[in-house]
Amino acid sequence: MGLQIYDNTLRDGEQAIGVAYSSTEKKEIIKKLTRIGIKNIEAGFIAVSYDEQLAIRDIVTKFPDVNIFCLARMCKQDIDLAYNNGVRNITIFTCASDELLKYKLKKDESQLLEDIKTCISYCKSKNMFVRFSCEDATRSSVERLKKLYKCAQDYGADFASVPDTSGVATPERIYKLITKLKKEVNIPFSIHCHNDLGLATANSIAAVLAGVEEVQTTINGIGERAGNTSFEEFVSIMQLIYGINLGVNLKGIVGLSEYVSKISNIPIPVNKPIIGKHVFSHESGLHVKIVNQGNTHCYEPFDPREINRTHNISFGKHSGIANINFLCDKYDIKIDDESKRKVLFEIKNNHIYQKGISDIDVLSIIKHLQ
């Protein structure tokens, strides 16, 4: 099995504060995801509401060629809700850490193992594909996780999901944990990282290096608290840096990102890796000179055309003559070197009082000096 992406935008992404997708919006996200090559998609949490159940049922019907999953608690009630609404791929989760067992589930390990046997057997009796997940795995003992995942495997689970539920793991810890688990458990592994410490993407990469077969991501990295592993960051790193082909058409990720940002009402930061407005922008005259010569690799990690983007030259305190040359070529303007120096002086002088000088501002300066 090659490495695959499991999209969680419609469930964990929707758990971001203030986000709630309509059934129509969920279907549009799925359309855009499938167009760029994503086939494993979690459509929602089946127990959330009646409307959620209707939306999931509609999605399963409308996308028969997509592996539509839903999240469910480890109980027959949720499993029946999923099955009766047409779901045949399910992710069931249970608590694993001492804290959650004590304060949330209020069960001991032996009871938990019995629940796993009962619920996974029940799912398999309905011929469902089962991803089994241990909530708060990264704060659980490795020995307990081995028992839980091995139990799930023995009763028919198809996948083992390892969530860093509170975003407390580091790449080293993730690598060691996955390595230890894969020595004991013989079903494919999935990693689900949260970004509370800004390590979700790095942790997901560490999991890949340790051998996981699947990484869970969300568009723009949205999700509860600080969000999840960013889809556009992870797939770009895998395909452009590691050379691992995930089958994703990178030229479609910007449009997908912008759509999700719009309907989520969560703006994309200008410095957001891969998709931020300023990621392929240059103000420094030294950098612009190199970019203008075509040596973009000197100051960019990859060619922006790989993701259907272009370079952008900005103007400000750090600009040089190269910036003026770029603008003159862009607008087919002819001015002498002395005029260029005067324009540059005005830009540097104005930047103290005017943050963010646009092309129009520079064109106005040129016109004023002529």
Side-chain angles (χ1 to χ4, degrees):
M1 172 185 289
L3 181 65
Q4 60 189 32
I5 296 293
Y6 180 89
D7 183 80
N8 223 313
T9 306
L10 302 181
R11 197 277 300 170
D12 213 338
E14 195 183 35
Q15 289 178 207
I17 300 298
V19 178
Y21 301 128
S22 67
S23 177
T24 299
E25 288 169 337
K26 286 195 173 193
K27 286 184 285 187
E28 186 60 29
I29 292 173
I30 293 173
K31 286 179 185 176
K32 293 179 182 297
L33 281 166
T34 56
R35 282 182 197 138
I36 64 173
I38 303 301
K39 294 294 185 181
N40 298 310
I41 299 171
E42 192 165 287
F45 189 174
I46 197 68
V48 163
S49 68
Y50 180 63
D51 284 344
E52 182 87 330
Q53 293 155 29
L54 292 179
I56 291 172
R57 181 191 303 174
D58 187 31
I59 287 168
V60 170
T61 302
K62 293 291 196 304
F63 297 95
D65 297 326
V66 181
N67 299 320
I68 300 296
F69 288 78
C70 77
L71 185 68
R73 295 168 297 184
M74 201 167 62
C75 63
K76 287 186 176 181
Q77 178 184 349
D78 278 18
I79 296 167
D80 285 339
L81 271 177
Y83 189 85
N84 293 337
N85 281 285
V87 175
R88 297 297 179 265
N89 304 297
I90 194 168
T91 295
I92 58 174
F93 72 98
T94 189
C95 303
S97 64
D98 288 340
E99 290 82 2
L100 290 184
L101 282 175
K102 180 178 179 181
Y103 296 112
K104 180 180 179 181
L105 202 59
K106 298 181 179 178
K107 292 184 178 181
D108 61 26
E109 193 176 283
S110 62
Q111 292 172 303
L112 187 54
L113 289 168
E114 284 300 319
D115 288 346
I116 293 171
K117 296 175 186 177
T118 300
C119 288
I120 292 182
S121 296
Y122 188 59
C123 288
K124 299 312 290 185
S125 73
K126 294 175 175 290
N127 295 316
M128 301 179 82
F129 183 102
V130 179
R131 177 182 283 95
F132 171 71
S133 180
C134 289
E135 187 179 13
D136 210 17
T138 54
R139 293 196 294 194
S140 307
S141 76
V142 176
E143 291 309 309
R144 175 179 293 151
L145 291 175
K146 289 178 182 177
K147 290 180 187 177
L148 301 182
Y149 287 123
K150 285 177 73 175
C151 180
Q153 170 191 285
D154 291 344
Y155 284 86
D158 300 281
F159 245 94
S161 178
V162 181
D164 181 25
T165 303
S166 295
V168 297
T170 61
E172 293 84 359
R173 285 177 60 193
I174 290 290
Y175 184 88
K176 290 177 182 177
L177 175 60
I178 297 299
T179 300
K180 289 175 181 177
L181 292 176
K182 285 188 71 67
K183 287 180 180 178
E184 303 287 337
V185 183
N186 297 317
I187 54 176
F189 273 81
S190 178
I191 190 75
H192 177 100
C193 294
H194 283 260
N195 202 39
D196 297 73
L197 297 177
L199 289 171
T201 299
N203 285 340
S204 296
I205 293 170
V208 171
L209 297 178
V212 299
E213 288 81 3
E214 179 182 83
V215 173
Q216 300 186 28
T217 66
T218 63
I219 306 304
N220 300 339
I222 64 171
E224 58 190 23
R225 304 186 315 279
N228 299 75
T229 301
S230 165
F231 168 77
E232 49 286 332
E233 290 176 23
F234 181 77
V235 298
S236 297
I237 291 167
M238 285 295 106
Q239 296 197 178
L240 298 176
I241 306 301
Y242 282 88
I244 298 174
N245 184 8
L246 299 173
V248 175
N249 179 2
L250 296 179
K251 294 186 184 298
I253 66 176
V254 173
L256 174 58
S257 169
E258 290 173 345
Y259 177 74
V260 171
S261 172
K262 179 181 177 181
I263 65 171
S264 303
N265 198 29
I266 299 177
I268 300 170
V270 295
N271 63 337
K272 176 79 166 67
I274 312 299
I275 55 175
K277 179 182 177 181
H278 291 172
V279 174
F280 295 101
S281 295
H282 304 275
E283 179 187 311
S284 168
L286 292 174
H287 291 200
V288 172
K289 183 177 180 180
I290 295 297
V291 170
N292 284 350
Q293 292 173 351
N295 301 309
T296 59
H297 61 279
C298 291
Y299 290 109
E300 292 173 348
F302 56 84
D303 190 328
R305 290 175 295 184
E306 295 275 7
I307 60 169
N308 204 27
R309 295 194 61 185
T310 58
H311 312 288
N312 181 52
I313 305 303
S314 298
F315 301 91
K317 177 181 178 180
H318 305 93
S319 295
I321 291 298
N323 301 59
I324 311 302
N325 289 335
F326 176 86
L327 181 131
C328 288
D329 290 342
K330 181 177 179 180
Y331 293 99
D332 195 24
I333 295 171
K334 307 295 184 184
I335 58 174
D336 58 32
D337 290 345
E338 179 61 26
S339 296
K340 290 177 183 178
R341 285 191 286 271
K342 289 180 180 179
V343 171
L344 184 60
F345 176 83
E346 291 296 323
I347 289 172
K348 289 177 178 286
N349 188 52
N350 287 340
H351 191 263
I352 302 299
Y353 310 100
Q354 179 183 343
K355 308 298 184 184
I357 296 175
S358 67
D359 283 13
I360 294 175
D361 295 322
V362 180
L363 292 171
S364 177
I365 293 171
I366 293 174
K367 183 177 181 181
H368 178 73
L369 290 175
Q370 287 179 333

